[in-house]
Amino acid sequence: WNYQLGIEAKRIGLFDNALKFFTTSKELLTPDHWETRREQSVKLYANLGECEYLTGHYEQSEMHLTEALQHAETKLEKLMINNLKTVLYIESDNPTIGLEAGLAGFQVANLKISAYPKKSQLLKEYLLLKWALRHMSDQDLLQHPPTNSKEIDILIHLIINMTASAFLLNPNLTGILLMKGLRLQLKYGATSKSGMVLINYAMLLNAGFTNIKEATRFGKLAIIVADNQESIYIKGHTYYVYGVFISHWT
C-alpha cells in the first residue's frame, strides 16, 4: 500500500509525501528482498531515488538509483533507470553526468555512439537518415505504424533528454542524437514522443544545415503529429521550437 500511495503522490507532484511512502515501503522489505522480490525492489528503489533527487537528497538518490541499476536484469529495466537519470540530471550544473547516463543506456541497447564524435560521423548519420527517408512521403510519415517495443520508446525518450546536455559538450553529438532518434523511429515504428522527434529534426535542418525548406516541411508534420498526441508537454515543445527556430524564416 505504501508503494502505491507513493506512486499516486508522485503522479500529482507531492514529492515529499511520495518520498515518505517509498521510504516506509523500503523499510518494510525483508532482508532477502533482492532475491525474493527483485523486480518490485528495482521499481521501488528507482522511484525512491527519483523522489530523493527531486527533494534535494542527491547523495541518497544516487545511492538508490545505483543499487537499482546493479540489480536490474532486463534491458527494459536498465534503460528505464538510465533514462530516469537523464531526466533528473537535465538541470544539473554538471551536464556530463546526464550524458554519461545516456551513453550507458546506449550500451544497454547496443548502440555505439561516441561522446565526442567527429564531423565525418555526423555526416555519415545524415546520409544514413537521408537514405532511410528517400521514399517517405508526408503521408507515409504521418501514418507510420506505432512501435510495439517499449525499449525503443524509452530509448527515444533517452535520446531526447540527452540533447540538452550534449549541446553543451559537443554540438556534433547533438546532431547525431537528433538524427539517430528519427532513424530509429523510421525503422521500429512511431513512439510516444514522435512529435518531439520530428520537430527536433526540423530544428536541426534549419540551425545545423540551413535547409529551411525541409525544416518547414518536418516542422509542419511535427505539429500535426503533436496535435494528435495526448501530451500537453509534447504539444508545447513542438509549437515552441517551431515558433522560435522555424516559422520566422518562412
Side-chain angles (χ1 to χ4, degrees):
W1 284 106
N2 282 290
Y3 177 77
Q4 294 300 328
L5 289 171
I7 293 294
E8 182 60 23
K10 188 184 77 167
R11 186 185 67 81
I12 60 178
L14 299 176
F15 301 119
D16 286 303
N17 298 77
L19 178 57
K20 292 177 182 178
F21 288 126
F22 289 138
T23 300
T24 300
S25 186
K26 176 178 175 290
E27 292 171 349
L28 293 173
L29 291 173
T30 58
D32 62 346
H33 64 93
W34 285 120
E35 290 74 36
T36 59
R37 298 174 64 85
R38 187 203 61 81
E39 185 176 346
Q40 295 91 332
S41 295
V42 167
K43 292 178 181 179
L44 171 59
Y45 274 60
N47 279 288
L48 180 59
E50 180 181 4
C51 288
E52 285 171 333
Y53 192 93
L54 293 172
T55 54
H57 304 286
Y58 303 121
E59 291 185 6
Q60 297 96 316
S61 171
E62 182 61 29
M63 180 182 69
H64 286 120
L65 289 174
T66 298
E67 192 165 357
L69 196 55
Q70 287 173 343
H71 289 88
E73 294 182 357
T74 68
K75 181 184 293 187
L76 181 60
E77 288 175 339
K78 294 175 183 178
L79 280 173
M80 288 179 67
I81 297 170
N82 280 303
N83 180 52
L84 175 58
K85 284 188 170 187
T86 64
V87 174
L88 295 175
Y89 298 158
I90 284 176
E91 301 297 330
S92 172
D93 293 333
N94 181 8
T96 303
I97 58 175
L99 189 61
E100 289 174 348
L103 291 172
F106 289 154
Q107 289 183 341
V108 172
N110 296 317
L111 285 180
K112 295 180 180 179
I113 297 180
S114 169
Y116 297 95
K118 300 177 181 179
K119 286 187 177 180
S120 59
Q121 292 170 291
L122 179 67
L123 178 59
K124 178 182 178 181
E125 187 63 40
Y126 176 75
L127 293 175
L128 287 171
L129 179 55
K130 291 290 287 184
W131 181 259
L133 286 167
R134 68 193 186 282
H135 297 310
M136 298 287 288
S137 67
D138 289 359
Q139 201 64 24
D140 291 331
L141 290 167
L142 291 174
Q143 296 180 349
H144 199 50
T147 183
N148 56 7
S149 170
K150 291 183 179 179
E151 288 88 352
I152 292 297
D153 198 78
I154 294 174
L155 185 59
I156 293 294
H157 194 184
L158 184 148
I159 287 172
I160 291 171
N161 295 333
M162 281 183 68
T163 53
S165 299
F167 183 77
L168 298 174
L169 299 173
N170 190 321
N172 288 343
L173 177 59
T174 303
I176 286 177
L177 290 173
L178 295 179
M179 291 186 286
K180 178 73 73 175
L182 180 53
R183 197 153 64 87
L184 286 170
Q185 192 163 272
L186 292 174
K187 182 176 181 180
Y188 295 104
T191 68
S192 60
K193 301 293 186 295
S194 290
M196 294 180 71
V197 171
L198 290 169
I199 196 63
N200 287 346
Y201 178 58
M203 176 180 64
L204 177 67
L205 285 169
N206 188 24
F209 298 102
T210 61
N211 188 341
I212 187 59
K213 180 180 178 180
E214 282 296 283
T216 303
R217 174 197 174 199
F218 278 91
K220 290 180 177 179
L221 289 173
I223 288 175
I224 295 173
V225 172
D227 281 342
N228 287 299
Q229 295 187 293
E230 296 181 359
S231 172
I232 295 176
Y233 171 70
I234 292 177
K235 289 183 175 69
H237 175 86
T238 302
Y239 275 92
Y240 172 79
V241 172
Y242 187 83
V244 172
F245 292 97
I246 299 171
S247 65
H248 64 283
W249 291 96
T250 61

